[in-house]
Each structure stands twice: as structure tokens, then as C-alpha cells.
Amino acid sequence: MRAQPLIAVADVEASSRWYQQLLGCRSDHGGPAYERLVSNGELVLQLHSFEVEHDHGAIGDPDDRPFGNGVLLWFEVNDFDEAVRRSEAMKAEVFLPVHRNPPPPEEGGPNHWEIWLTDPDGYRVVLSSPDGSADGDWTPSKPG
């Protein structure tokens, strides 16, 4: 089984550029109505216009804010430091800065690093390092 998340956005092409830059992924479709974003040949996110109904009807109501209330788009990335640097270069809105999950001195849990961002449509986006990567000497780079 593989998750294939799809979110409705106000501007598919702008959101595609934002996610491509943040995640280091690429477009596999393109256009103003629908987008598929892939990484290493695997689908990671689909974007769909609120305005386009295709054969299935509207995906969501663009007037019902906030979008994705209660939903986190969570991406485990192998290049956590680079992803954080990309988010800084983009001036992405930070909801929670880089932190360890669980917070020290707690043990167990995913034991990884996270940063929580907000995308241009208001969706919460979490980038995390791989589980267990907060052990040992490695720590994320300081924001800068």
C-alpha cells in the first residue's frame, strides 16, 4: 500500500513550484488544473484546482477556510538539513521551528528532527528526518 495524498489549492502551478522547491521533487503532469509531484519515480503529492470539477465534481470549497483543518502533510526526508535550508531560502512560513520529537530528555517515540511549515494555501507541512536519526552526534544545522 502507498499513500497518494491529494490537496485542493488555489493556484496549482504556484503550489507545484513551492512544493518542488521545498521537497526537491519534480512535476510529472503540470498545468493549471492538476499536478502530480514525484520523487525518485514515486508519487509524493497531487495538487488539484478548487475551480476544476473534472468528472468527479469539486474537490473542496475555496471559501471554507482554513484548508486542511486537522490535516498535516508529513514528509520524511533524507536530506533534512538541506530541506530546512530550502525552506529558509523560500522564506516559508514556520509554524514550529526545528525541534526533536520527542523533546529531550524524553526517550522513545520517533526520535527524529522536525520542522512544521505552512504552505501558500495554509496547509500545515511537516518535514522530518528519518526515525531514530536524533540519536548520536548528528543534530540539525542551526537556522541561518
Side-chain angles (χ1 to χ4, degrees), residues 46-83:
Q46 300 174 82
L47 307 170
H48 197 290
S49 171
F50 278 109
E51 305 302 321
V52 177
E53 295 191 12
H54 287 124
D55 298 326
H56 46 64
I59 298 294
D61 179 354
D63 297 323
D64 187 13
R65 303 249 177 176
F67 300 150
N69 183 24
V71 173
L72 297 175
L73 297 170
W74 199 293
F75 299 95
E76 179 181 294
V77 294
N78 290 323
D79 64 342
F80 184 76
D81 282 342
E82 287 301 314

Side-chain angles (χ1 to χ4, degrees), residues 6 10-11 20 22 32 38-41 43 48 55 59 63 66 70 72-73 84 89 97 106-107 112 117 126 139 141:
L6 182 149
D11 183 331
Q20 285 182 63
L22 178 68
V38 298
S39 177
N40 298 317
L43 178 66
H48 197 290
D55 298 326
I59 298 294
D63 297 323
L72 297 175
L73 297 170
V84 170
E106 292 181 39
E107 296 296 323
H112 64 208
L117 309 168
V126 180
T139 58
S141 298

